[in-house]
Amino acid sequence: MRLLRPVLLAALALVLVPLSAVAPAHAATGTITGVAVGPDGKPLPNVNWEIYELKDGSWQTYPFGPKLTDAKGRFSWNVPVGGRYRVCFSDSWYGQASSTSFWQPEVRHRDTCWPNATSHQTATTWTSTTAAPSKTFSVTLPRQGLGMAPVDPFFVGSFRTGEPITIVGQEGWRPTHATFTYQWMSQRDNALAAPIAGATSASFTPTPAQEGAWIFARVTASRAGYKPATLTTPTTKVGGTQHVQPTSPLQISGTASPGSTLTASFGKPASTYSEISWFVDGVPQPAATSYDAASSRFTVAAAHAGARIDARLKIYKKDAQGNYVDGSDAYQRAQVQVAGSRPVQALKAAPAPRGTATVGRTLYGPTGLTADPNATVSYQWVRGSTAISGATARTYTVRSADVNQRLKVRVTVRRPGWWNAYVSNSSTTVAKRALKPGTVKVVGTAKAGKSLKAKTAKWGPKPVRIRYQWQRNGKAIRGATKATYKLKKADRGKVVRVRITVSKSSHLTVAKVSKGRKVKR
């Protein structure tokens, strides 16, 4: 039975390559292991990898994907011994990283081929031999720019010659002030896709030259400081009257507010297959996708306040055996705007403020929470759960009112062209008063059998608690935790000193070590 084309394409798009993929069986094989790292040496996960093999005079690749590095930035693939290979990495993948997260990192890296080429044409070739069948290729990808948050482009139209097709969905792309370029592509069966001359707008009207051809469009967004991102629309065939049309258009009903349920519905003709997928500000919501149904429901969460929600319909005809009918695809989209304002998004927790949390001393809020040089970063210091009035600088001087209170700083990041604000709460630190500093010294005769005494002075405000730990050549002496210490034979020729720890309620604990005394032999 002939496979359903859209189902097949969807399956290919979701193939994830395991760490140790298996090539077709050969008499002898080696292993190519690739490692992608950033300029700081840290591994780069979810980076596309590609092995080029020289066959019949041209460099060919393995036609499946996405082929992605694992959490350690690695992949492994078996290859025939005797082959000639080139290894490349491309930091361009956007997609569902898990059931709850969408991969769109803040920083992107330059596409790089081993050892440091910018394309496979200029990469270095490696040959797998019987003596050296395997090799590890470690490639450093330089930083290229910030990463975008793209939206899968979609198109609508009749897909007939002489009638326009329009790309939609760019309004969800971030940053919002990116510049878009378009290139419509045409492909005949058993031929490579080729650009359609002059078809570089968001709308395209097919001509008789595209009749019966498959078409799609590449959408590229560019912005200074960002790595350009390119995504493609779905693919469909031009011409004829074979494109199925719903008996009623896709529409969304229900109240677009947090806590409500939206319903997307359309008139579904007989002998058709359909999918309704949902997007929130361009981010796919795969758990809400409905298959081969005339309606789909989506629950609006509090996190969706102020967002734009899309429902997208893909539909095609089925023949008597249930197979996809070539070129029968149709696409529709409906949108609603959710009431309210977009909530802040949480960044990972920042470390505790740097500095000593003592009255009169300065604490420092964290930096480096965003790689965007144009971002605005603001601070709010918090005592317990209450914002401290006027404490909105990166630094904060600890006050008497802070004693025995937990202090933290809330950092808010706002980026040009991004709707949401991003907030990170630091871990907390407990403020204390400072002890009045004092002294400690060792008195007595430094000879085995004699006793040494720790003498302290000026610590305050009194009363204070002092704990002792005697040390021999810098190491703690077990059980020697009193103010006096009787020297032993083991101390002969060694340096003995005492470490005191001074504490008081509501005050910062202080440790100090005395000068050493060398014990006579």
Side-chain angles (χ1 to χ4, degrees), residues 65-126:
K67 301 186 280 286
L68 302 175
T69 57
D70 64 12
K72 297 181 179 180
R74 301 170 66 89
F75 78 88
S76 192
W77 184 260
N78 293 341
V79 295
V81 170
R84 302 178 68 190
Y85 305 98
R86 293 178 178 179
V87 176
C88 296
F89 292 97
S90 173
D91 187 13
S92 57
W93 183 72
Y94 297 88
Q96 201 72 29
S98 69
S99 60
T100 58
S101 65
F102 192 79
W103 184 256
Q104 48 188 36
E106 188 182 21
V107 173
R108 288 289 185 174
H109 300 82
R110 190 196 75 189
D111 301 346
T112 307
C113 298
W114 182 79
N116 188 31
T118 56
S119 70
H120 78 273
Q121 291 93 341
T122 57
T124 299
T125 302
W126 171 74

Side-chain angles (χ1 to χ4, degrees), residues 380-466:
Q380 175 62 63
W381 291 86
V382 177
R383 179 189 300 127
S385 59
T386 304
I388 302 172
S389 178
T392 56
R394 180 178 165 249
T395 59
Y396 175 71
T397 301
V398 182
R399 309 167 186 177
S400 296
D402 300 322
V403 173
N404 292 331
Q405 300 291 320
R406 291 188 174 274
L407 293 176
K408 66 180 180 180
V409 62
R410 181 182 301 124
V411 187
T412 302
V413 177
R414 291 179 172 85
R415 301 177 61 193
W418 296 74
W419 299 313
N420 298 84
Y422 301 85
V423 174
S424 174
N425 288 296
S426 74
S427 53
T428 59
T429 185
V430 178
K432 301 288 186 180
R433 295 185 184 278
L435 286 170
K436 178 184 176 182
T439 62
V440 58
K441 66 178 181 179
V442 174
V443 296
T445 303
K447 184 177 180 182
K450 301 291 185 180
S451 292
L452 298 179
K453 183 176 181 179
K455 187 175 181 180
T456 60
K458 299 182 180 179
W459 294 98
K462 294 182 178 180
V464 295
R465 181 187 179 192
I466 301 177

Side-chain angles (χ1 to χ4, degrees), residues 321-351:
Q321 288 73 43
N323 293 316
Y324 165 74
V325 175
D326 280 352
S328 63
D329 318 76
Y331 302 88
Q332 291 187 2
R333 181 182 72 149
Q335 285 187 313
V336 293
Q337 184 76 35
V338 181
S341 300
R342 290 179 175 88
V344 298
Q345 292 189 359
L347 295 171
K348 68 178 182 179

Side-chain angles (χ1 to χ4, degrees), residues 497-517:
R497 55 175 57 87
V498 67
R499 181 182 188 271
I500 64 169
T501 303
V502 186
S503 60
K504 181 181 178 69
S505 177
S506 301
H507 289 69
L508 193 68
T509 298
V510 177
K512 190 167 186 177
V513 180
S514 71
K515 290 183 178 180
R517 296 284 301 277

